[in-house]
Amino acid sequence: MPSFDTVSEANMEEVKNAIAQTNKVVTNRFDLKGTSAKVELKDKEREITIFGDSDFHLDQIMIEVTQTMGKRGVDVRFLDIGDVQKIGGDKVKKVIKVKNGIQTEDAKKIVKVVKDSKMKVQASIQGDAVRITGAKRDDLQAAMAMLRKEIKDLPLEFNNFRD
């Protein structure tokens, strides 16, 4: 029976490259020279930390991060942006988590959308992915198009297509 998996995974190599490129830009920017502006990536926790002297600096660095990730093909919907936190003196930081996998609520939402569409496909939750199965390849392709159209708040990818 033909099937495919619906997943939501960021390309961490491109995220690393985007952070390195952002750091180069930030260190060379005239308005950020001589400040504590920098961007760090903790790979194991999938966490990006932005440091700066003020909220304005954080906003400028955040714009640079999102633009660089967009140029590198990383969807910014993977980023879960936290609040501004004060650290010693007048320094501030912002923590951004890189989402990986489809959360349970989102997976249930995908399954509900597939069932409500009355298509001849079935959806089942498989860990942090949703598997869609159907009798015909055309039905699966129609389901992919429908999911792209209906689910706008998640960066979905389709892989593991089996015939």
Side-chain angles (χ1 to χ4, degrees):
M1 197 141 167
S3 68
F4 68 87
D5 289 340
T6 305
V7 296
S8 182
E9 295 174 351
N11 184 349
M12 285 309 289
E13 289 301 316
E14 287 300 327
V15 171
K16 284 181 197 173
N17 293 338
I19 296 304
Q21 189 174 354
T22 301
N23 264 328
K24 285 180 186 175
V25 170
V26 165
T27 55
N28 292 327
R29 253 180 78 162
F30 180 75
D31 59 339
L32 297 174
K33 273 195 179 178
T35 65
S36 63
K38 67 179 177 178
V39 183
E40 289 180 353
L41 173 68
K42 293 181 184 165
D43 199 25
K44 297 236 186 307
E45 295 105 37
R46 295 177 159 260
E47 204 172 79
I48 301 167
T49 309
I50 299 174
F51 296 96
D53 288 344
S54 66
D55 290 346
F56 176 74
H57 287 165
L58 290 183
D59 292 340
Q60 294 301 307
I61 299 168
M62 189 64 209
I63 291 169
E64 200 63 49
V65 167
T66 54
Q67 285 179 348
T68 308
M69 287 202 181
K71 289 177 188 173
R72 291 222 158 252
V74 178
D75 198 327
V76 292
R77 292 179 291 179
F78 282 117
L79 303 180
D80 185 19
I81 302 167
D83 294 330
V84 176
Q85 303 168 3
K86 282 212 169 274
I87 52 177
D90 57 347
K91 310 276 191 245
V92 289
K93 75 175 183 176
K94 186 184 280 193
V95 177
I96 303 166
K97 296 210 183 286
V98 181
K99 296 183 213 169
N100 188 28
I102 299 175
Q103 302 300 321
T104 308
E105 311 88 49
D106 296 329
K108 288 178 182 176
K109 182 177 165 186
I110 292 171
V111 170
K112 184 179 181 332
V113 166
V114 169
K115 286 188 179 184
D116 290 347
S117 70
K118 305 286 188 215
M119 298 176 92
K120 295 182 180 179
V121 294
Q122 293 83 35
S124 62
I125 300 171
Q126 308 277 320
D128 59 355
V130 177
R131 177 157 294 156
I132 312 283
T133 57
K136 297 180 186 171
R137 178 188 288 191
D138 293 340
D139 293 339
L140 293 180
Q141 289 173 340
M144 283 182 196
M146 186 259 315
L147 284 175
R148 281 191 187 107
K149 186 176 133 196
E150 295 292 323
I151 309 291
K152 299 263 189 229
D153 55 337
L154 283 176
L156 295 179
E157 297 172 8
F158 307 108
N159 63 15
N160 204 13
F161 193 89
R162 300 197 180 183
D163 208 5

